[in-house]
Amino acid sequence: MQSTASAPLPGKTPALLSVEDLHVHFVTSRGVVRAVEGVSYEVRPGEVLAIVGESGCGKSVSSLAVMRLLAKPAGRVVHGKIMFEGVDLLTLTDEQMRERRGRDISMIFQEPMTSLNPVLPIGLQIMEPLFIHLKMTEEQARARAVDLLKMVGITDPERRLDQYPHQFSGGMRQRVMIAIGLACNPKLIIADEPTTALDVTIQAQILDLITRLRRERGMGVVLITHDMGVVAETADRVVVQYSGQAVEQASTVDLFADPHHPYTAALLAALPERAVEQRLPSIPGVVPGQFDRPAGCLFSPRCSFANARCQTERPTRDVGLSQSLCHTPLVQGSPTKREIAA
């Protein structure tokens, strides 16, 4: 398999996390599901990298692979490297990975109500990583938990520590998840759609909190989302995934100003502020299933600009900075680029 990792840019801070040509498979009764195929990206300290795409594009699976939380025995990484501070996480034993998970790398899961234990008070759930990784006493851990709840904007934290998840609103539960993720001052945090199902006011508060904390603490952040508006406000760089592949990667400014892959351009064209008609444009069809994939480019059945080559041949161009996985990438001033803009 050909690696699609891009070379580090001169003068840039060394990568905190480097995912190189990642392939994740799930073995099912119907056959092998190729959930992630050749995804590569880097995250540097203090940087927010957004991974975007529709549901079913492998965004969460690739991040669960980084955390070594794939469902076993079905899920497995079959190829690639996940380098964190120069160490391949895939080579660590389960015990060594448990020492890093929660301490050096944390994850904010998509749905707090299914991630928080409903029969334990939230204080105990926040204190658990403090007991395990920092060896704090109960008094020290409780004081730290109070500080964390204050940090994420929850009032009356001393009383709240003894309450249960069902006594919190959706936005407050998400803040608790962030508090748990930040408990041990991790160097990297993965936020899997942290604002899903929240109203716009709470969404803005959560995004402001993540942005402030990464600036103050120098954390690297991987932000998984399908909301391009969130990407525009928060991310430094963007990886666009489609059907398990990274089809485009660029800085946020470059991606929004000059998308090269038709899928990226179609996602941006569907933003309400970019719509030129009353009816929002949409992308026809759905993400292909694992057992009905086209022979050529995976996006070709939904692409307005697919040609005969796209129908029969998979693109193999490396996906690096400002590049796209496409036989005929859109370029500024081309007829296809003008057609999308119109």
Side-chain angles (χ1 to χ4, degrees):
M1 297 179 183
Q2 181 182 8
S3 174
T4 57
S6 56
L9 296 178
K12 291 288 187 179
T13 305
L16 181 65
L17 174 71
S18 179
V19 176
E20 303 175 11
D21 196 23
L22 182 66
H23 292 251
V24 178
H25 292 179
F26 288 87
V27 179
T28 73
S29 59
R30 293 185 59 194
V32 176
V33 175
R34 294 170 174 81
V36 177
E37 293 188 275
V39 169
S40 299
Y41 59 81
E42 292 184 346
V43 185
R44 295 179 174 82
E47 180 181 48
V48 176
L49 175 77
I51 302 178
V52 303
E54 295 166 279
S55 297
C57 287
K59 306 185 299 298
S60 296
V61 169
S62 61
S63 295
L64 289 172
V66 172
M67 297 295 293
R68 293 267 302 268
L69 290 174
L70 292 173
K72 295 181 179 180
R76 63 191 68 173
V77 176
V78 298
H79 188 271
K81 294 182 179 180
I82 302 173
M83 306 298 295
F84 180 77
E85 295 187 317
V87 177
D88 188 352
L89 298 181
L90 298 177
T91 65
L92 301 181
T93 65
D94 289 345
E95 182 61 31
Q96 290 171 330
M97 189 62 203
R98 278 193 293 269
E99 292 176 1
R100 285 184 174 267
R101 191 188 301 122
R103 184 191 68 190
D104 298 329
I105 311 173
S106 288
M107 187 166 183
I108 302 170
F109 293 95
Q110 183 172 351
E111 177 45 63
M113 205 55 190
T114 59
S115 301
L116 295 170
N117 191 323
V119 300
L120 294 178
I122 62 102
L124 185 58
Q125 299 185 59
I126 296 173
M127 290 188 285
E128 182 179 15
L130 302 175
F131 294 143
I132 295 172
H133 296 297
L134 303 185
K135 311 302 181 186
M136 287 186 176
T137 65
E138 184 172 352
E139 182 179 355
Q140 291 171 330
R142 188 173 180 86
R144 170 68 174 159
V146 168
D147 290 340
L148 286 166
L149 290 185
K150 288 179 181 177
M151 183 189 305
V152 298
I154 293 181
T155 57
D156 197 7
E158 292 85 356
R159 180 176 63 87
R160 289 290 194 174
L161 283 180
D162 298 318
Q163 293 184 336
Y164 293 83
H166 71 272
Q167 295 175 283
F168 289 74
S169 67
M172 292 178 71
R173 285 194 293 266
Q174 193 62 277
R175 289 170 185 264
V176 170
M177 290 298 299
I178 294 174
I180 294 173
L182 296 173
C184 297
N185 292 320
K187 299 172 184 177
L188 175 73
I189 194 159
I190 300 173
D192 188 358
E193 302 196 24
T195 59
T196 297
L198 300 180
D199 63 67
V200 291
T201 302
I202 300 300
Q203 174 178 289
Q205 292 174 357
I206 295 295
L207 293 175
D208 288 344
L209 174 63
I210 292 174
T211 301
R212 175 171 60 83
L213 292 174
R214 68 102 174 191
R215 185 172 57 246
E216 293 175 355
R217 296 166 177 258
M219 295 185 308
V221 178
V222 177
L223 177 65
I224 302 170
T225 183
H226 55 259
D227 189 330
M228 298 301 283
V230 169
V231 173
E233 295 176 9
T234 311
D236 300 304
R237 289 189 301 113
V238 187
V239 174
V240 181
Q241 281 191 209
Y242 182 77
S243 196
Q245 297 182 333
V247 296
E248 185 163 5
Q249 183 174 163
S251 71
T252 304
V253 172
D254 290 343
L255 189 89
F256 276 74
D258 187 21
H260 286 189
H261 196 280
Y263 180 60
T264 308
L267 290 176
L268 294 174
L271 291 173
E273 57 268 28
R274 294 196 175 201
V276 295
E277 300 177 358
Q278 287 186 344
R279 186 180 181 86
L280 285 176
S282 62
I283 306 174
V286 296
V287 178
Q290 290 296 318
F291 306 107
D292 58 359
R293 290 186 159 199
C297 172
L298 296 178
F299 186 60
S300 60
R302 309 174 69 189
C303 181
S304 303
F305 312 108
N307 54 33
R309 183 187 181 192
C310 300
Q311 307 290 344
T312 58
E313 183 181 339
R314 285 277 181 94
T316 57
R317 180 178 298 133
D318 284 355
V319 179
L321 199 64
S322 298
Q323 293 182 327
S324 67
L325 193 68
C326 183
H327 290 305
T328 55
L330 307 176
V331 294
Q332 196 69 31
S334 69
T336 52
K337 182 68 69 86
R338 290 196 297 269
E339 183 176 338
I340 288 176

